[in-house]
Short mmCIF file of all heavy atoms in Angstrom, two decimals:
data_model
loop_
_atom_site.label_atom_id
_atom_site.label_comp_id
_atom_site.label_asym_id
_atom_site.label_seq_id
_atom_site.Cartn_x
_atom_site.Cartn_y
_atom_site.Cartn_z
N LEU E 15 63.31 11.16 158.95
CA LEU E 15 63.47 11.70 160.30
C LEU E 15 62.36 12.74 160.51
O LEU E 15 61.85 13.35 159.61
CB LEU E 15 64.82 12.37 160.48
CG LEU E 15 66.02 11.44 160.57
CD1 LEU E 15 67.32 12.22 160.42
CD2 LEU E 15 65.99 10.70 161.95
N THR E 16 61.94 12.86 161.80
CA THR E 16 60.91 13.88 162.16
C THR E 16 61.37 15.26 161.69
O THR E 16 62.53 15.59 161.67
CB THR E 16 60.69 13.84 163.66
OG1 THR E 16 59.62 14.78 164.00
CG2 THR E 16 61.99 14.20 164.45
N PRO E 17 60.41 16.04 161.21
CA PRO E 17 60.79 17.37 160.65
C PRO E 17 61.54 18.30 161.60
O PRO E 17 62.26 19.17 161.16
CB PRO E 17 59.41 17.96 160.25
CG PRO E 17 58.58 16.80 160.01
CD PRO E 17 59.00 15.71 160.96
N SER E 18 61.35 18.06 162.89
CA SER E 18 62.06 18.99 163.86
C SER E 18 63.49 18.56 164.10
O SER E 18 64.17 19.32 164.84
CB SER E 18 61.31 18.93 165.15
OG SER E 18 61.30 17.70 165.79
N TYR E 19 63.92 17.42 163.61
CA TYR E 19 65.20 16.88 164.01
C TYR E 19 66.37 17.85 163.85
O TYR E 19 67.21 18.00 164.74
CB TYR E 19 65.51 15.57 163.21
CG TYR E 19 66.89 15.05 163.48
CD1 TYR E 19 67.21 14.37 164.74
CD2 TYR E 19 67.95 15.15 162.58
CE1 TYR E 19 68.47 13.92 164.97
CE2 TYR E 19 69.20 14.75 162.87
CZ TYR E 19 69.51 14.11 164.08
OH TYR E 19 70.78 13.63 164.35
N ALA E 20 66.51 18.50 162.72
CA ALA E 20 67.64 19.31 162.43
C ALA E 20 67.28 20.83 162.52
O ALA E 20 68.00 21.62 161.89
CB ALA E 20 68.21 19.07 161.06
N ALA E 21 66.22 21.18 163.20
CA ALA E 21 65.89 22.56 163.34
C ALA E 21 66.98 23.41 163.93
O ALA E 21 67.69 22.96 164.87
CB ALA E 21 64.59 22.68 164.19
N GLY E 22 67.18 24.57 163.44
CA GLY E 22 68.31 25.37 163.84
C GLY E 22 68.05 25.97 165.23
O GLY E 22 66.98 26.09 165.70
N ARG E 23 69.14 26.34 165.85
CA ARG E 23 69.14 26.97 167.20
C ARG E 23 68.30 28.26 167.15
O ARG E 23 67.46 28.46 168.05
CB ARG E 23 70.53 27.27 167.65
CG ARG E 23 70.68 27.97 168.99
CD ARG E 23 72.06 28.44 169.21
NE ARG E 23 72.20 29.33 170.40
CZ ARG E 23 72.73 28.92 171.53
NH1 ARG E 23 73.10 27.64 171.71
NH2 ARG E 23 72.81 29.74 172.57
N ASP E 24 68.48 29.07 166.16
CA ASP E 24 67.72 30.34 166.04
C ASP E 24 66.22 30.06 166.07
O ASP E 24 65.46 30.80 166.74
CB ASP E 24 68.10 31.07 164.78
CG ASP E 24 69.52 31.69 164.88
OD1 ASP E 24 70.08 31.68 165.99
OD2 ASP E 24 70.01 32.15 163.85
N GLU E 25 65.79 29.01 165.38
CA GLU E 25 64.38 28.67 165.33
C GLU E 25 63.82 28.29 166.64
O GLU E 25 62.78 28.76 167.08
CB GLU E 25 64.21 27.52 164.28
CG GLU E 25 62.80 27.02 164.17
CD GLU E 25 62.71 25.85 163.22
OE1 GLU E 25 63.51 25.80 162.23
OE2 GLU E 25 61.86 25.02 163.32
N LEU E 26 64.55 27.38 167.35
CA LEU E 26 64.07 26.90 168.61
C LEU E 26 64.08 27.96 169.68
O LEU E 26 63.23 28.06 170.52
CB LEU E 26 64.95 25.72 169.02
CG LEU E 26 64.65 24.40 168.30
CD1 LEU E 26 65.76 23.40 168.48
CD2 LEU E 26 63.36 23.76 168.83
N VAL E 27 65.11 28.83 169.63
CA VAL E 27 65.19 29.87 170.66
C VAL E 27 64.10 30.92 170.40
O VAL E 27 63.42 31.45 171.29
CB VAL E 27 66.59 30.56 170.63
CG1 VAL E 27 66.56 31.91 171.38
CG2 VAL E 27 67.58 29.63 171.13
N ALA E 28 63.78 31.22 169.10
CA ALA E 28 62.75 32.22 168.78
C ALA E 28 61.34 31.69 169.19
O ALA E 28 60.55 32.44 169.81
CB ALA E 28 62.71 32.41 167.27
N ILE E 29 61.10 30.42 168.97
CA ILE E 29 59.81 29.86 169.44
C ILE E 29 59.75 29.84 170.96
O ILE E 29 58.68 30.22 171.49
CB ILE E 29 59.62 28.41 168.91
CG1 ILE E 29 59.53 28.44 167.34
CG2 ILE E 29 58.39 27.73 169.47
CD1 ILE E 29 59.58 27.09 166.72
N SER E 30 60.76 29.49 171.63
CA SER E 30 60.86 29.53 173.09
C SER E 30 60.64 30.92 173.61
O SER E 30 59.79 31.04 174.59
CB SER E 30 62.19 28.94 173.56
OG SER E 30 62.39 27.62 173.10
N ARG E 31 61.23 31.88 172.95
CA ARG E 31 61.00 33.29 173.35
C ARG E 31 59.55 33.68 173.25
O ARG E 31 58.97 34.37 174.10
CB ARG E 31 61.92 34.24 172.60
CG ARG E 31 61.83 35.68 173.08
CD ARG E 31 62.84 36.56 172.30
NE ARG E 31 64.23 36.16 172.62
CZ ARG E 31 65.03 35.60 171.73
NH1 ARG E 31 64.71 35.34 170.49
NH2 ARG E 31 66.33 35.28 172.15
N ALA E 32 58.94 33.28 172.15
CA ALA E 32 57.56 33.60 171.89
C ALA E 32 56.58 32.96 172.94
O ALA E 32 55.61 33.54 173.40
CB ALA E 32 57.11 33.15 170.55
N VAL E 33 56.93 31.73 173.29
CA VAL E 33 56.12 31.07 174.37
C VAL E 33 56.37 31.84 175.66
O VAL E 33 55.38 32.15 176.39
CB VAL E 33 56.64 29.59 174.61
CG1 VAL E 33 56.00 29.00 175.83
CG2 VAL E 33 56.32 28.72 173.33
N GLY E 34 57.54 32.19 176.00
CA GLY E 34 57.81 32.93 177.22
C GLY E 34 57.06 34.26 177.31
O GLY E 34 56.66 34.72 178.36
N ALA E 35 56.98 34.94 176.20
CA ALA E 35 56.36 36.23 176.13
C ALA E 35 54.86 36.16 176.45
O ALA E 35 54.24 37.22 176.90
CB ALA E 35 56.54 36.85 174.73
N THR E 36 54.26 34.99 176.47
CA THR E 36 52.86 34.82 176.80
C THR E 36 52.74 34.85 178.37
O THR E 36 51.62 34.95 178.88
CB THR E 36 52.21 33.58 176.25
OG1 THR E 36 52.80 32.45 176.92
CG2 THR E 36 52.38 33.50 174.76
N GLY E 37 53.83 34.60 179.04
CA GLY E 37 53.80 34.53 180.49
C GLY E 37 53.30 33.20 181.04
O GLY E 37 53.00 33.08 182.21
N GLN E 38 53.13 32.24 180.17
CA GLN E 38 52.61 30.87 180.61
C GLN E 38 53.24 29.84 179.68
O GLN E 38 53.93 30.20 178.67
CB GLN E 38 51.12 30.84 180.56
CG GLN E 38 50.55 31.14 179.22
CD GLN E 38 49.08 31.46 179.29
OE1 GLN E 38 48.64 32.39 180.00
NE2 GLN E 38 48.24 30.72 178.61
N GLY E 39 53.00 28.55 179.96
CA GLY E 39 53.46 27.46 179.09
C GLY E 39 54.78 26.88 179.58
O GLY E 39 55.54 27.49 180.33
N VAL E 40 55.07 25.68 179.08
CA VAL E 40 56.32 25.00 179.42
C VAL E 40 56.89 24.51 178.12
O VAL E 40 56.30 24.55 177.05
CB VAL E 40 56.04 23.75 180.33
CG1 VAL E 40 55.42 24.23 181.66
CG2 VAL E 40 55.11 22.74 179.63
N LEU E 41 58.13 23.98 178.20
CA LEU E 41 58.88 23.44 177.07
C LEU E 41 59.26 21.99 177.37
O LEU E 41 59.56 21.59 178.47
CB LEU E 41 60.16 24.24 176.77
CG LEU E 41 60.08 25.74 176.66
CD1 LEU E 41 61.48 26.32 176.50
CD2 LEU E 41 59.18 26.14 175.50
N GLN E 42 59.23 21.16 176.28
CA GLN E 42 59.55 19.73 176.45
C GLN E 42 60.38 19.33 175.23
O GLN E 42 60.07 19.66 174.06
CB GLN E 42 58.33 18.83 176.58
CG GLN E 42 58.66 17.40 176.81
CD GLN E 42 58.69 16.52 175.57
OE1 GLN E 42 58.03 16.89 174.52
NE2 GLN E 42 59.35 15.39 175.53
N LEU E 43 61.44 18.57 175.48
CA LEU E 43 62.39 18.18 174.41
C LEU E 43 62.90 16.75 174.63
O LEU E 43 63.07 16.25 175.75
CB LEU E 43 63.58 19.12 174.42
CG LEU E 43 64.77 18.87 173.41
CD1 LEU E 43 65.34 20.12 172.91
CD2 LEU E 43 65.84 18.04 174.09
N VAL E 44 63.05 16.03 173.54
CA VAL E 44 63.65 14.68 173.56
C VAL E 44 64.86 14.72 172.58
O VAL E 44 64.74 15.29 171.46
CB VAL E 44 62.63 13.56 173.21
CG1 VAL E 44 62.00 13.84 171.85
CG2 VAL E 44 63.32 12.24 173.24
N THR E 45 65.95 14.12 173.02
CA THR E 45 67.20 14.03 172.26
C THR E 45 67.90 12.78 172.50
O THR E 45 67.51 12.03 173.41
CB THR E 45 68.06 15.32 172.51
OG1 THR E 45 69.23 15.32 171.57
CG2 THR E 45 68.65 15.32 173.94
N ASP E 46 69.02 12.53 171.78
CA ASP E 46 69.71 11.24 171.91
C ASP E 46 70.79 11.15 173.00
O ASP E 46 71.21 10.17 173.38
CB ASP E 46 70.30 10.84 170.63
CG ASP E 46 69.24 10.46 169.58
OD1 ASP E 46 68.26 9.90 169.94
OD2 ASP E 46 69.48 10.84 168.36
N TRP E 47 71.27 12.41 173.45
CA TRP E 47 72.30 12.42 174.41
C TRP E 47 73.59 11.65 173.91
O TRP E 47 74.22 10.93 174.74
CB TRP E 47 71.87 11.93 175.79
CG TRP E 47 70.70 12.68 176.37
CD1 TRP E 47 69.50 12.13 176.67
CD2 TRP E 47 70.76 13.99 176.79
NE1 TRP E 47 68.72 13.10 177.24
CE2 TRP E 47 69.42 14.23 177.30
CE3 TRP E 47 71.61 15.05 176.74
CZ2 TRP E 47 69.00 15.48 177.81
CZ3 TRP E 47 71.26 16.26 177.20
CH2 TRP E 47 69.94 16.57 177.72
N ASP E 48 73.93 11.81 172.65
CA ASP E 48 75.17 11.19 172.15
C ASP E 48 76.33 11.91 172.67
O ASP E 48 76.32 13.13 172.91
CB ASP E 48 75.19 11.22 170.60
CG ASP E 48 74.17 10.22 170.00
OD1 ASP E 48 73.81 9.26 170.70
OD2 ASP E 48 73.76 10.47 168.88
N ASP E 49 77.51 11.26 172.78
CA ASP E 49 78.68 11.84 173.31
C ASP E 49 79.11 12.94 172.42
O ASP E 49 79.67 14.00 172.83
CB ASP E 49 79.84 10.80 173.37
CG ASP E 49 79.73 9.94 174.65
OD1 ASP E 49 79.10 10.42 175.59
OD2 ASP E 49 80.28 8.83 174.65
N ASP E 50 78.89 12.84 171.08
CA ASP E 50 79.39 13.84 170.12
C ASP E 50 78.48 15.10 170.15
O ASP E 50 78.96 16.19 169.74
CB ASP E 50 79.27 13.27 168.70
CG ASP E 50 80.27 12.17 168.42
OD1 ASP E 50 81.22 12.06 169.21
OD2 ASP E 50 80.03 11.41 167.49
N THR E 51 77.31 14.99 170.73
CA THR E 51 76.39 16.21 170.74
C THR E 51 75.93 16.57 172.07
O THR E 51 75.16 17.57 172.20
CB THR E 51 75.16 15.84 169.81
OG1 THR E 51 74.46 14.73 170.44
CG2 THR E 51 75.55 15.49 168.47
N ILE E 52 76.38 15.92 173.13
CA ILE E 52 75.71 16.13 174.46
C ILE E 52 75.96 17.51 174.88
O ILE E 52 75.10 18.19 175.49
CB ILE E 52 76.22 15.07 175.47
CG1 ILE E 52 75.38 15.14 176.68
CG2 ILE E 52 77.70 15.23 175.76
CD1 ILE E 52 75.52 13.95 177.64
N GLU E 53 77.21 18.13 174.72
CA GLU E 53 77.44 19.46 175.13
C GLU E 53 76.60 20.43 174.26
O GLU E 53 76.13 21.46 174.82
CB GLU E 53 78.98 19.73 175.01
CG GLU E 53 79.77 19.02 176.07
CD GLU E 53 79.43 19.29 177.54
OE1 GLU E 53 78.96 20.44 177.81
OE2 GLU E 53 79.53 18.39 178.35
#
């Protein structure tokens, strides 16, 4: 599986916060939208 598959929430939020702190940039994500994980 791709190395990012099971990355933790803290990791993704921290990277997103760092992107936001630059005042520019966007985020893009792909997921499976399974019933078990959609929420």
